[in-house]
């Protein structure tokens, strides 16, 4: 219960090594996490702190990138942003996450090498931390579904080879 410690019992954290789990015990010597599926992982407290734990239990943000074809350039900074946001909001509601969604924004990110790239920003309540990866995958799926519904191509990186004559 030290104010300087980055988490409490029952909080969910992500560590620099990629481990994500719920804190089940804390002491001056060790921190034990329970991972999804029930496996447990124990860290020496100093090693745990060295992993820069990110506490998801207060609230958290997911940033999801996806790209569409340059054929849609004229709509990419206007109507497409609105369409994707509306589509994702509908999916959030349909899949029962509306009460836990704090913020949803869709923004143009960049003109990439082979696609026009967007970022979907979703902020969720900390209670959703146990399903963090499920939500991350769901937002990706919703982006693909939006592209499918609107018949937008999702390009893939391409390489052009020029042959000397």
């Amino acid at each position: 219960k030290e104010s300087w410690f980055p988490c409490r019992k029952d909080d969910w954290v992500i560590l620099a090594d990629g481990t994500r789990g719920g804190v089940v015990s804390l002491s001056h010597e060790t921190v034990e996490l329970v991972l999804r599926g029930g496996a447990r992982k124990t860290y020496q407290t100093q090693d745990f702190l060295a992993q820069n734990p990110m506490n998801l239990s207060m609230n958290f943000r997911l940033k999801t990138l996806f790209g569409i074809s340059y054929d849609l350039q004229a709509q990419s900074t206007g109507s497409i942003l609105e369409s994707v946001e509306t589509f994702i909001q509908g999916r959030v509601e349909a899949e029962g996450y509306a009460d836990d969604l704090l913020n949803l924004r869709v923004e143009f990110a960049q003109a990439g090498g082979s696609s026009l790239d967007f970022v979907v920003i979703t902020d969720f309540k900390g209670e959703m931390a146990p399903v963090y990866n499920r939500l991350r995958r769901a937002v990706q799926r919703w982006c693909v579904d939006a592209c499918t519904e609107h018949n937008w191509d999702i390009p893939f990186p391409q390489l052009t080879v020029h042959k000397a004559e």
Side-chain angles (χ1 to χ4, degrees):
K1 297 189 183 207
E2 299 289 340
S3 60
W4 58 268
F5 205 76
C7 60
R8 305 277 180 269
K9 188 174 186 282
D10 299 322
D11 282 353
W12 278 79
V13 296
I14 296 178
L15 305 180
D17 67 4
T19 299
R20 182 177 57 89
V23 179
V24 291
S25 72
L26 300 153
S27 72
H28 292 290
E29 294 83 27
T30 63
V31 176
E32 184 179 14
L33 303 179
V34 63
L35 312 180
R36 294 289 288 179
R40 292 181 181 248
K41 193 167 184 178
T42 302
Y43 290 85
Q44 295 295 318
T45 299
Q46 64 194 26
D47 295 334
F48 176 80
L49 292 172
Q51 287 288 328
N52 301 315
M54 179 173 62
N55 191 329
L56 303 174
S57 294
M58 299 311 267
N59 292 325
F60 60 90
R61 171 168 284 182
L62 297 172
K63 288 185 177 180
T64 305
L65 295 172
F66 77 101
I68 60 170
S69 169
Y70 268 96
D71 294 345
L72 300 163
Q73 181 175 335
Q75 304 135 293
S76 66
T77 59
S79 63
I80 289 177
L81 297 173
E82 296 165 11
S83 295
V84 172
E85 187 167 329
T86 300
F87 185 90
I88 291 175
Q89 183 65 49
R91 289 296 172 99
V92 165
E93 292 167 6
E95 295 189 25
Y97 298 120
D99 290 342
D100 299 303
L101 180 70
L102 300 171
N103 177 50
L104 167 63
R105 285 196 337 260
V106 179
E107 298 179 358
F108 183 83
Q110 67 182 1
S114 61
S115 63
L116 298 167
D117 299 332
F118 299 86
V119 61
V120 177
I121 300 166
T122 49
D123 297 334
F124 287 95
K125 292 179 182 176
E127 291 84 27
M128 299 304 290
V131 293
Y132 177 90
N133 282 334
R134 182 185 308 164
L135 290 169
R136 194 173 45 78
R137 291 186 303 270
V139 176
Q140 279 287 335
R141 177 171 39 87
W142 299 333
C143 291
V144 170
D145 290 347
C147 290
T148 301
E149 178 156 308
H150 292 284
N151 220 13
W152 300 328
D153 284 335
I154 301 173
F156 52 90
Q158 299 179 27
L159 175 67
T160 303
V161 178
H162 296 277
K163 182 178 173 185
E165 291 189 32

